[in-house]
Each structure stands twice: as C-alpha cells, then as structure tokens.
Amino acid sequence: IEKEQSIFEDTVTYNANPTTVDYSSFSYKNRPVINLQPIDTATAQTAVVTAGSNSSVSFRLFDLEAGTNAPTDQSIQVQVSATGV
C-alpha cells in the first residue's frame, strides 16, 4: 500500500525561542522535508531547526546582521512547509 505525498503549509508568528509547529494531523511516517522562510524581516534572518520529527518542528530565528537570535517580541512571520509521506 502506497501513501501519497502530502504537504503541510502554515504561517506562524515567531514568539518563543524556540518556536514549535505541530503538523501531527498529517500523520507522516518519517520526518518530512521542512522549509522555513522568515517573511518581510527588517534584517537578514535565517531559521535554524533545533528539533524535527514526523509530528513537529522547533526552530529559532538567527539575525545574520546582528549575530544574535532574533527577538521574539516583534511578531515576525515565518512560512512553514513540510513535505512527506
């Protein structure tokens, strides 16, 4: 029996360090391929995955220009997608 690939997509607010996104409703068999993209940030930022599983992902935002973790009080939006079976 084959399972079709499914894609989880959501936009979340980065308000904790780390921020965790739950996609357990998709019932992935293994950890899916995860993509995190900060949206419209004032400085260059990248997302760093701190934990990932078949049911959730946790990440931190790192401000490349400041050389520190991004603040959690600025309502930074992050586009999250997970693709797997």
Side-chain angles (χ1 to χ4, degrees):
I1 298 174
E2 286 189 34
K3 183 178 176 187
E4 256 187 68
Q5 179 172 291
S6 55
I7 301 171
F8 166 87
E9 294 179 312
D10 197 4
T11 300
V12 299
T13 301
Y14 180 70
N15 57 10
N17 196 356
T19 293
T20 300
V21 178
D22 183 310
Y23 43 75
S24 59
S25 63
F26 277 67
S27 301
Y28 292 118
K29 289 184 176 185
N30 299 303
R31 186 184 63 81
V33 175
I34 299 163
N35 184 36
L36 301 162
Q37 179 63 51
I39 300 171
D40 195 25
T41 59
T43 58
Q45 297 179 1
T46 189
V48 178
V49 173
T50 59
S53 70
N54 65 331
S55 61
S56 67
V57 63
S58 296
F59 66 94
R60 298 175 189 263
L61 286 185
F62 188 76
D63 187 318
L64 298 171
E65 294 176 32
T68 62
N69 285 325
T72 57
D73 61 354
Q74 295 184 358
S75 300
I76 299 169
Q77 298 295 295
V78 179
Q79 184 177 352
V80 180
S81 67
T83 305
V85 291

